[in-house]
Amino acid sequence: MGYKNWQLHIDDQIATLVFDLENSGANTLSTPAMKELDAALDEILKKDTLPRALIISSAKKAGFCMGADINEFRESTDLALLKQHVEFGQTVMQKIADLPFPSIALIHGFCLGGGLELALACRYRIGQYDEVEAQLGLPEVRLGLCPAWGGTARLPQVIHPLQALNMMLTGRTVKSKAAKRLGLLDVIVPKRQMVHAARYIALNPLPKRKFQVMQKLCHIALIRRLAAVFVTRQVKKQATPEHYPAPFMMIDAWKSYGGLGKEAYTLEVDQFMALLNTETAKNLIRIFFLQEQLKALGKKASDRIQHVHVIGAGTMGGDIAAWCAFKGLTVSLQDRTAEALQNAMRRANELMQTQFKKDKRSIEAVMDRLIPDVNGEGVVHADLIIEAIFENLALKQEVLVSVAQRKKPEAIIATNTSSISLDDLKTALPDPNQLVGIHFFNPVPKMQLVEVVHTENVDKNMSERALGFVHQIGKLPLIVKNCPGFLVNRVIAAYLLEAAHLLDEGVSVTQLDHAALDFGMVMGPIAMMDLVGLDICVEVVKNIDGVIPKILSDKVAAGHLGKKTGEGFYTYKNGKLQAPVDTTGSNSMGRDAICDRLMGALINECVACLAEGIVASPEELDAGIIFGMGFAPFRGGPMAYAKSLGYEQIIEKLKGYEKTIGPRFKPAAGWTALIP
Ligand code: NAD
């Protein structure tokens, strides 16, 4: 029988199923692919002579399988039909697990979610450790879901249950060598030996795996109950059950059945269906697609950047250079001083130690690509030049003019400025429209978003290539229009300013930060102000013609500028936050009232940005504020959150604040366009 998504061969008594999803660069287990897999298994089982083994592999370069097709869960609202689909998936996986002969998953590259569940249903798993290295994980929790094709039941049977919980609750992936150590892969081999190893094991099955002591102990319900208390406590440090129910449900399932018996599988389906219906899952799935939308912005560029020249080896330039070298680009790094270059090289080395652990060869390869360049000789060879010197208009103009005179004609000139208008910077250039902003966030290795800033008549080719570069180095590009603060810093400024006003009104540091953290923000606004620097916060308020809250100017006058001076609103020891300087507050404002004020200011600024066309759509804005600022992801971004509350309700609240607090709450011009 011919299949569209699978190739079935049987030779030398070994059946091979090669997954090759039609019209796609990567494999996902869509409904048609699952139906065909089921039919192919039946075809194999109906043979007069059964094969001695089944090998399942992938024809795609990218890897084994990315998981289930999430589009199907997003597009369908028919929960009964979705449940049938999930149950059917479990049936197919069980059919593989019940095969009367050994089954072997041959894994290269990504093996995620449903893909790993398929591999877990096989008796053996072989992983590739070179070229496209095997990388395995159950990332469903990141979408607010749990695995539903037997993953929560089978993984704790295959590896140490606590390691299994760790993988499921964090959604982290493990590469081949770590997966072998865990017992998730039985064998790891180089690419050239993959097929040979699979055929060897097919004909010479490995001895049956023995249960580890912990796995045996976990058959005792009391042990699982005790372990679950410990794990729940750990997870509660990172997430709350109200905001992120999925990890808590998975702990519960394991505590109840330890992955054993039919009940474990039934509960898995029930939990998945309950989670699918939560706002958290709906928002996280939406964000997943927004992330894909931003990635797509960077996929249009036709060329790849080979050589980047970075000018300024400070906090930002040094880290941008290190990150680009890490991502495989040749980088020349220029600074006025040799000392700044030395510091940047040391920091790059430290970053690589954390990325590659003990893998000296990889660290050396990255450091070989990163070239300190005091005289700026790299400018003439580079495809892209990023200026990241002091925030000073005249100095920046001087550097940009010199670059424009020496660069290759087709090379892109970019600036990392965060507050100087590109319209002012570009005036000095022979071709002003060639300048683009490539605005990274601090710390560069951690922050996913990079704003690509456009001026009015920006050269479209340059900007498209800049977007391509951001995608090439594994970051998420967002197109924003030139304006003070661009998108993210402008929104952050409005939010932080409101927090400072609340402090002035007597709300305490802890009241404020706890309220924001409970709302789901990655960091409290006061801790964020300390991190940015209180002097910089004051400068930003001056730039937007705002009223500087007294508490902020007092701190700056006293030289308490935040983390960098060891004291701001909090104290710091060796760069680590210790305790608030002052815990008292004369205002007993509740958490909801605090959040209403903070979010009112933040959302109103977002709406103003939309009205001014700073960002193309509410969707892109949501993605920018989540990935650039750490806005609570499970709320789907500020505009999704505003929609869920009701636009009219927010406008009424803003009007009330405008009357009682002041004109900064005047509803932005863009609100009317949002209301149908
Ligand atoms: P920094 O002070 O840490 O580093 C600036 C570096 O530029 C210094 O090493 C200095 O020696 C070098 N430099 C100055 N003039 C030079 C010249 N003419 N030629 C070569 N090198 C020169 O500054 P930073 O924090 O890295 O900021 C750099 C740029 O990035 C600024 O435009 C800033 O607005 C922007 N930015 C900063 C952050 C942040 O959080 N620090 C975030 C985003 C963007």
Side-chain angles (χ1 to χ4, degrees):
M1 190 172 150
Y3 302 102
K4 288 181 176 158
N5 305 294
W6 297 86
Q7 296 145 20
L8 173 61
H9 312 277
I10 302 183
D11 60 62
D12 289 345
Q13 299 175 302
I14 298 174
T16 311
L17 266 173
V18 182
F19 191 11
D20 192 4
L21 190 73
E22 199 184 22
N23 301 326
S24 173
N27 285 329
T28 51
L29 286 163
S30 60
T31 303
M34 286 296 275
K35 282 190 177 156
E36 284 193 358
L37 174 59
D38 188 48
L41 291 169
D42 285 344
E43 185 183 338
I44 296 168
L45 286 167
K46 273 189 208 136
K47 298 273 174 211
D48 292 338
T49 317
L50 285 181
R52 285 178 63 185
L54 167 68
I55 299 171
I56 302 181
S57 66
S58 153
K60 305 289 187 202
K61 263 193 191 157
F64 184 73
C65 174
M66 302 299 283
D69 184 349
I70 305 165
N71 268 309
E72 292 180 2
F73 295 104
R74 185 171 67 147
E75 282 159 10
S76 174
T77 47
D78 185 340
L79 289 181
L81 197 74
L82 284 173
K83 189 170 182 197
Q84 268 177 27
H85 174 58
V86 175
E87 284 170 341
F88 172 65
Q90 276 202 354
T91 313
V92 179
M93 300 303 171
Q94 195 57 45
K95 203 174 265 183
I96 296 172
D98 291 341
L99 286 174
F101 43 78
S103 50
I104 302 153
L106 200 54
I107 303 164
H108 72 281
F110 285 115
C111 174
L112 304 176
L116 180 53
E117 292 178 294
L118 169 60
L120 283 167
C122 293
R123 198 182 301 175
Y124 306 112
R125 285 157 294 282
I126 300 176
Q128 183 175 314
Y129 70 68
D130 62 353
E131 294 187 37
V132 188
E133 185 178 1
Q135 211 165 319
L136 305 92
L138 291 174
E140 287 82 352
V141 72
R142 296 188 178 172
L143 299 177
L145 300 169
C146 64
W149 287 341
T152 62
R154 290 197 178 95
L155 190 62
Q157 302 302 316
V158 172
I159 65 173
H160 190 302
L162 292 183
Q163 296 281 10
L165 277 177
N166 178 285
M167 280 184 72
M168 293 189 292
L169 302 181
T170 60
R172 76 187 171 98
T173 55
V174 284
K175 289 193 180 167
S176 56
K177 284 180 191 144
K180 170 77 175 66
R181 277 197 298 276
L182 287 174
L184 184 52
L185 290 174
D186 298 280
V187 177
I188 55 172
V189 290
K191 183 180 175 189
R192 65 177 194 284
Q193 287 174 6
M194 286 282 278
V195 175
H196 179 71
R199 294 187 78 85
Y200 181 83
I201 291 173
L203 300 176
N204 306 279
L206 298 170
K208 225 177 164 195
R209 182 195 291 273
K210 287 194 184 113
F211 272 152
Q212 295 173 354
V213 180
M214 186 60 190
Q215 280 166 318
K216 282 187 194 153
L217 283 177
C218 285
H219 288 239
I220 305 167
L222 178 66
I223 301 279
R224 285 202 304 271
R225 274 207 292 276
L226 290 174
V229 171
F230 166 77
V231 178
T232 306
R233 207 176 293 152
Q234 296 299 317
V235 176
K236 276 195 175 157
K237 288 181 190 163
Q238 311 284 330
T240 60
E242 308 88 73
H243 296 163
Y244 293 101
F248 298 94
M249 280 197 184
M250 283 189 264
I251 298 171
D252 239 30
W254 179 73
K255 183 178 77 177
S256 306
Y257 301 113
L260 294 172
K262 201 172 174 308
E263 290 87 351
Y265 293 86
T266 312
L267 180 62
E268 190 187 65
V269 175
D270 291 345
Q271 289 190 332
F272 179 84
M273 293 311 299
L275 288 168
L276 194 62
N277 215 12
T278 59
E279 282 309 306
T280 297
K282 286 177 191 158
N283 281 328
L284 292 179
I285 291 172
R286 178 172 167 270
I287 291 164
F288 171 82
F289 284 103
L290 288 180
Q291 207 169 342
E292 295 302 303
Q293 196 179 322
L294 293 194
K295 279 186 198 162
L297 287 175
K299 285 183 185 164
K300 291 181 199 150
S302 51
D303 63 338
R304 287 175 74 78
I305 302 293
Q306 309 283 342
H307 180 167
V308 186
H309 183 80
V310 182
I311 310 179
T315 311
M316 295 304 288
D319 282 4
I320 294 168
W323 185 260
C324 291
F326 170 55
K327 288 291 168 181
L329 281 70
T330 300
V331 185
S332 41
L333 178 59
Q334 179 185 349
D335 201 284
R336 297 174 311 162
T337 70
E339 197 192 345
L341 285 174
Q342 257 171 18
N343 278 338
M345 297 302 283
R346 180 184 43 76
R347 283 207 330 269
N349 200 296
E350 282 166 10
L351 175 65
M352 292 317 127
Q353 305 273 357
T354 56
Q355 296 288 343
F356 292 114
K357 308 265 166 21
K358 288 176 192 150
D359 181 359
K360 274 192 183 157
R361 260 213 217 150
S362 302
I363 297 173
E364 275 167 19
V366 173
M367 295 311 288
D368 284 350
R369 286 196 289 271
L370 181 56
I371 309 151
D373 178 12
V374 189
N375 299 322
E377 281 156 13
V379 172
V380 294
H381 306 292
D383 308 306
L384 162 67
I385 298 112
I386 303 176
E387 169 283 306
I389 67 162
F390 297 141
E391 195 71 338
N392 176 299
L393 175 63
L395 277 181
K396 279 188 189 284
Q397 280 182 331
E398 197 181 304
V399 165
L400 291 172
V401 168
S402 137
V403 164
Q405 285 163 353
R406 297 172 57 221
K407 74 174 187 82
K408 292 194 288 194
E410 70 280 14
I412 312 165
I413 311 188
T415 172
N416 184 48
T417 183
S418 38
S419 63
I420 300 177
S421 169
L422 265 70
D423 288 331
D424 296 336
L425 278 175
K426 71 178 191 177
T427 50
L429 293 175
D431 185 352
N433 295 327
Q434 284 207 338
L435 181 71
V436 287
I438 301 188
H439 184 227
F440 286 83
F441 292 89
N442 190 8
V444 174
K446 281 210 178 130
M447 299 300 289
Q448 269 185 288
L449 191 81
V450 176
E451 290 174 322
V452 174
V453 189
H454 281 191
T455 54
E456 193 72 29
N457 297 311
V458 68
D459 181 326
K460 288 281 176 301
N461 176 41
M462 290 293 168
S463 98
E464 203 155 274
R465 289 170 63 216
L467 289 167
F469 158 74
V470 175
H471 177 66
Q472 190 182 334
I473 59 168
K475 301 278 181 195
L476 292 176
L478 177 71
I479 302 174
V480 295
K481 203 165 94 177
N482 181 40
C483 76
F486 313 131
L487 171 72
V488 174
N489 283 352
R490 182 169 156 180
V491 172
I492 290 179
Y495 166 73
L496 295 187
L497 180 61
E498 198 47 38
H501 280 301
L502 284 164
L503 280 178
D504 247 6
E505 289 172 32
V507 180
S508 76
V509 167
T510 22
Q511 258 173 294
L512 263 162
D513 273 0
H514 284 174
L517 292 174
D518 287 350
F519 179 84
M521 303 302 273
V522 170
M523 184 184 247
I526 310 300
M528 196 187 250
M529 270 196 268
D530 266 4
L531 188 69
V532 172
L534 302 185
D535 51 338
I536 294 176
C537 291
V538 166
E539 282 309 309
V540 173
V541 182
K542 277 187 198 157
N543 284 344
I544 56 173
D545 295 329
V547 179
I548 301 169
K550 184 173 176 312
I551 198 160
L552 205 53
S553 41
D554 286 352
K555 285 271 177 201
V556 174
H560 298 150
L561 306 183
K563 188 178 170 186
K564 60 187 169 191
T565 58
E567 185 178 326
F569 290 108
Y570 290 91
T571 53
Y572 297 83
K573 200 172 167 191
N574 300 327
K576 286 222 165 90
L577 189 145
Q578 301 295 303
V581 174
D582 183 3
T583 50
T584 58
S586 57
N587 189 328
S588 60
M589 192 183 274
R591 288 183 180 184
D592 288 350
I594 294 173
C595 285
D596 280 356
R597 284 271 298 273
L598 292 174
M599 290 306 139
L602 185 149
I603 294 169
N604 204 27
E605 197 62 38
C606 290
V607 172
C609 287
L610 280 173
E612 291 169 36
I614 304 304
V615 62
S617 65
E619 288 74 25
E620 287 187 22
L621 184 143
D622 277 346
I625 302 303
I626 289 171
F627 296 115
M629 174 186 177
F631 187 92
F634 68 93
R635 296 195 190 270
M639 293 316 297
Y641 175 61
K643 198 171 178 186
S644 74
L645 291 183
Y647 297 138
E648 278 96 348
Q649 204 183 319
I650 302 178
I651 297 170
E652 280 315 304
K653 210 158 236 173
L654 290 173
K655 283 183 181 163
Y657 288 151
E658 187 188 1
K659 269 194 207 140
T660 53
I661 299 168
R664 68 176 184 274
F665 278 106
K666 186 177 190 305
W671 281 105
T672 38
L674 290 171
I675 299 169

